[in-house]
Amino acid sequence: MTTETARPALDDRRWKALGVCLTAGFISLLDVSIVNVALPSMERGLGASDATQSWVVSGYALAFGLALAPAGRLGDLRGRRQALLFGLAVFTAASVACGFATGPTWLVVCRLIQGAAAGVVAPQTSGLIQQMFQGAERARAFGFHGSVVAVSTAVGPLVGGVLIQAFGTADGWRWVFFVNVPIGVAALVAGHRVLPRLPVPNDRREKFDPIGVLLLGAGVLALLLPLVQEQQWQGRAKWLLIPLAALLLGAFWTWERTQARLGRAPLVDLGLFSLRSFTLGALISLMFFAGLTTIFFVLSLFLQNTVGYSALATGVTILPFAAASAVGAAVGGRLVMRHGRSLVVIGLSGVAVGLLGVVAAVQLVPGDGVGWAMALPLVVAGIGSGLTVSPNTTLTLTLVPVRRAGAAGGVLQTGQRIGSAVGIAVVGSVYFAHVANHDRPTTALQLGLLTAVGIILVALVLAVADLRERRVRPGRDDLAAAPRGHDENGAGEMAGRGA
């Protein structure tokens, strides 16, 4: 076979492999939001208490966040193909078990397993993109990845609403989990066929770091637990876990520095934070997701509890955001090589403007018509979201060595999960506090959304500061500065080996 005929076949296989990665990422992120509209169905059909419903949502988020960093490192060491297929298989099996749950405890335990499996899948997708693609192709692939992140999160309420409508309120919640099964099985079969067997490190120093895993896991758990349980755990004692989290994460940082000094491979290469692009991109991502995730949280509550929309109507109302996000992410993936951080600034500005438009729509158009009034502002915010997630991911990971891509992706997405938990806790507190004070629900929603805008403006300030720094010191730590040889074990080697 000649090189001319072999190369298109290789390119075709890489894009098929990307499709498998994105499918796995889609169903794992879909389950973050799809269950929200199914909670009333769980209460009727399973007798799920408020505590059970809380753990169905927060348990998944907790397990997801805890698994990310160690799973990313595991993929770096043992192969991302194997890690992704393992995580996807466990996720699919756990979805079956959730759907057949006969009691609240069964459901919560299986939901925790499902969340941990999703945490195994997530860093492998970004790591494989790093490994399979370079340059403009990588930016385009991350554009598709950004579309999946935005759409899966926003479309969850719609999919959940359709399933509840189709299968009834008694058993509809089961299909929220069963819907993952055919998709997961198809992705597993396709993955075994098209995912490339890429090289893994053979350095004997590259070993797993169990103490680092324990310290990081305990620190993240102590940080996330009071945030995701903020509404369920009454009193202020829960906030004592935050200083404990700071101590544990400080101990983790010290341990990792010691590992690096002794010449041993750490769980997280702290040298990543010496890269301005990685550190700033991770901070922007954390703040952005802190503001973004809360949009769907408070909007869903307002539309169903105040306006009287069904779960399906609520999902349809949020659909313009999801569709616009997909378009924005695809466009951002194509333009990021040319425009860099300025796209992130434009995107964050669009999200802020769109959310302010939603605040105005709620004020000016009361009653059932508010859903239509929100449509255009949600489109603006959705395009802005797409222009933020995809370019920021590309810029954040561009200088990360491919052999550390899984761990770096795990750190980046752990920040996103922490940001989501912080945002929901903060914005949810504002919303519920004003509802409890018998303020107008419209006022509660507006103040919640304005709080989300404030969080997103922090991300915008960071992006603008970085853009100004790049203009003052051009060529520093950006796409053009990435050395050709920094992608060890990357796409070039894949091409040479024929995948």
Side-chain angles (χ1 to χ4, degrees), residues 157-457:
L158 174 62
V159 176
V162 169
L163 292 171
I164 299 297
Q165 187 82 8
F167 295 100
T169 56
D171 289 318
W173 67 269
R174 298 185 185 276
W175 291 92
V176 165
F177 301 110
F178 285 148
V179 73
N180 295 324
V181 179
I183 302 173
V185 170
L188 277 169
V189 172
H192 277 288
R193 295 185 61 184
V194 303
L195 285 176
R197 299 180 183 275
L198 296 168
V200 296
N202 55 11
D203 189 339
R204 292 183 178 179
R205 294 176 303 170
E206 297 278 332
K207 296 180 181 179
F208 207 60
D209 179 11
I211 295 179
V213 170
L214 289 174
L215 288 172
L216 179 61
V220 172
L221 179 63
L223 178 61
L224 285 178
L225 201 53
L227 294 171
V228 299
Q229 291 294 104
E230 197 270 338
Q231 292 299 317
Q232 285 69 38
W233 289 0
Q234 301 301 315
R236 298 180 179 179
K238 59 179 175 282
W239 300 117
L240 294 175
L241 288 172
I242 299 297
L244 175 62
L247 288 173
L248 289 167
L249 293 174
F252 168 75
W253 186 275
T254 302
W255 172 260
E256 296 297 281
R257 287 173 62 91
T258 302
Q259 290 289 96
R261 245 190 338 262
L262 295 175
R264 301 169 187 164
L267 175 65
V268 175
D269 184 357
L270 299 181
L272 292 172
F273 293 98
S274 66
L275 295 172
R276 179 184 173 85
S277 56
F278 181 82
T279 302
L280 204 63
L283 286 173
I284 291 171
S285 181
L286 186 151
M287 297 306 302
F288 175 70
F289 274 83
L292 176 72
T293 309
T294 58
I295 299 170
F296 314 113
F297 178 63
V298 294
L299 267 183
S300 295
L301 289 173
F302 175 79
L303 291 173
Q304 292 184 77
N305 296 341
T306 301
V307 183
Y309 279 12
S310 66
L312 178 58
T314 298
V316 171
T317 302
I318 297 173
L319 185 60
F321 183 98
S325 294
V327 174
V331 171
R334 292 178 180 274
L335 297 180
V336 64
M337 296 293 290
R338 187 183 312 165
H339 299 288
R341 187 69 72 188
S342 59
L343 274 183
V344 178
V345 171
I346 293 170
L348 290 168
S349 301
V351 175
V353 169
L355 290 185
L356 291 175
V358 173
V359 171
V362 172
Q363 180 67 34
L364 298 174
V365 186
D368 293 350
V370 70
W372 291 103
M374 288 181 184
L376 182 58
L378 286 175
V379 167
V380 174
I383 292 173
S385 173
L387 290 176
T388 300
V389 175
S390 169
N392 188 63
T393 302
T394 303
L395 292 166
T396 303
L397 298 178
T398 186
L399 295 182
V400 173
V402 168
R403 63 190 176 87
R404 302 291 189 202
V411 171
L412 179 63
Q413 293 180 65
T414 299
Q416 293 172 1
R417 301 279 71 79
I418 291 173
S420 297
V422 171
I424 288 175
V426 172
V427 176
S429 295
V430 172
Y431 179 83
F432 288 120
H434 286 275
V435 169
N437 287 336
H438 305 291
D439 291 339
R440 292 174 57 215
T442 298
T443 302
L445 175 67
Q446 290 173 322
L447 291 173
L449 290 178
L450 288 173
T451 304
V453 170
I455 296 171
I456 288 171
L457 288 178

